[in-house]
Amino acid sequence: MRTTTTRIAGASFVAAAALALSVGPAFAADGFVSANLKPVAGNGVQGSGTAMVEVKGNQITVTMAANGLLPDSPHAAHIHFAAAARHECPTLGDDKNGDGHLNTTEGGPAYGDIVVSLTKTGDTSPKSGLAIDRFSTAPGGKIAYQRGSINVSSDVAKAISAGESVVVIHGVDYNKDGKYDGNTKSDLMPSLPTEATDPALCGALRVAPAGGMHTGGGMAGDGLKSGGQNEALMLVGGGALLAAAGTGAFAARRARSRA
Ligand SMILES: [Cu+2]
């Protein structure tokens, strides 16, 4: 009798352990990556920013902050990736036509295709890549963006978690006249000037280093108070706390392995 009881208890313990594992970050594609956004070579935007992406299964949460953009004008923003791309931001070596600027197509060998459109509402697929009315217009030249529950394919989720994707914010006012204009047509949509779609800021989404984003005892507040290593979180403010809270499982796991 006792043996049977023990065996049953043992079995339910195993079941409970399996359940505990299944609610943790058990998907192969899960991950957390971040990027420092910098001016795209040749395009003269004096701005910067940060982006963070949390991957859970086939869904991502994106938190992004940027400045130095043309104010009150739509800025298409995407996550780019292609298996054959270099998984980085373009350099002047990618300026195929030698005009000193990089358009979106010229950056392709570096960052690949649009895989996620960082729209504020509605569809986030590549189809919305130029859905100008659903992107931030950068009031004051700044973008503060957060969106969760963005569905991506398994391949895209894996690529992002592996540190192979790149965030690009588009829209450059080359002649500094406060609007998108000029005679050069957009390589993406000929009805728009190239200013409206050329890449402005870019950052490769890399796996957050140990002791970086996930530091501390699992509480985002502790990380902020300790200061120094959470610059990106502080830049984007409250929204980032939500994102950081979602990474508690990682922090707990790290704390456990340290103990
Ligand atoms: Cu893009």
Side-chain angles (χ1 to χ4, degrees), residues 78 80 114 168 170:
H78 317 110
H80 286 248
I114 297 169
V168 183
H170 302 257

Side-chain angles (χ1 to χ4, degrees), residues 5-231:
T5 309
T6 306
R7 197 178 299 137
I8 290 169
S12 59
F13 174 78
V14 170
L19 187 67
L21 282 175
S22 71
V23 299
F27 292 98
D30 284 2
F32 188 91
V33 292
S34 64
N36 289 317
L37 307 180
K38 293 180 177 164
V40 169
N43 291 358
V45 173
Q46 307 219 320
S48 62
T50 58
M52 290 174 280
V53 180
E54 186 179 17
V55 181
K56 282 197 169 181
N58 281 5
Q59 289 199 321
I60 62 170
T61 297
V62 178
T63 306
M64 183 170 73
N67 60 59
L69 298 160
L70 176 63
D72 304 313
S73 302
H75 290 275
H78 317 110
I79 298 174
H80 286 248
F81 165 76
R86 305 198 307 265
H87 316 317
E88 61 189 30
C89 292
T91 68
L92 278 180
D94 293 301
D95 179 20
K96 272 199 168 169
N97 68 6
D99 68 352
H101 298 309
L102 292 173
N103 67 22
T104 301
T105 306
E106 287 173 327
Y111 47 57
D113 307 315
I114 297 169
V115 291
V116 180
S117 296
L118 300 175
T119 55
K120 295 192 290 183
T121 58
D123 177 64
T124 53
S125 78
K127 279 184 287 182
S128 294
L130 287 177
I132 290 304
D133 56 328
R134 288 188 287 118
F135 287 105
S136 172
T137 55
K142 294 180 180 172
I143 291 177
Y145 177 90
Q146 183 169 50
R147 188 164 179 187
S149 302
I150 297 173
N151 289 305
V152 297
S153 70
S154 304
D155 285 350
V156 169
K158 274 182 211 155
I160 294 172
S161 286
E164 296 178 341
S165 69
V166 179
V167 167
V168 183
I169 301 177
H170 302 257
V172 181
D173 182 21
Y174 290 120
N175 59 0
K176 309 265 190 256
D177 66 352
K179 56 180 189 275
Y180 297 142
D181 57 5
N183 294 327
T184 310
K185 293 182 191 330
S186 165
D187 51 312
L188 301 181
M189 187 178 280
S191 61
L192 295 172
T194 201
E195 284 193 346
T197 62
D198 279 4
L201 298 176
C202 176
L205 285 164
R206 303 302 191 208
V207 178
M213 295 294 182
H214 295 149
T215 190
M219 296 294 291
D222 291 344
L224 286 175
K225 262 178 257 158
S226 74
Q229 35 196 341
N230 279 293
E231 268 178 67

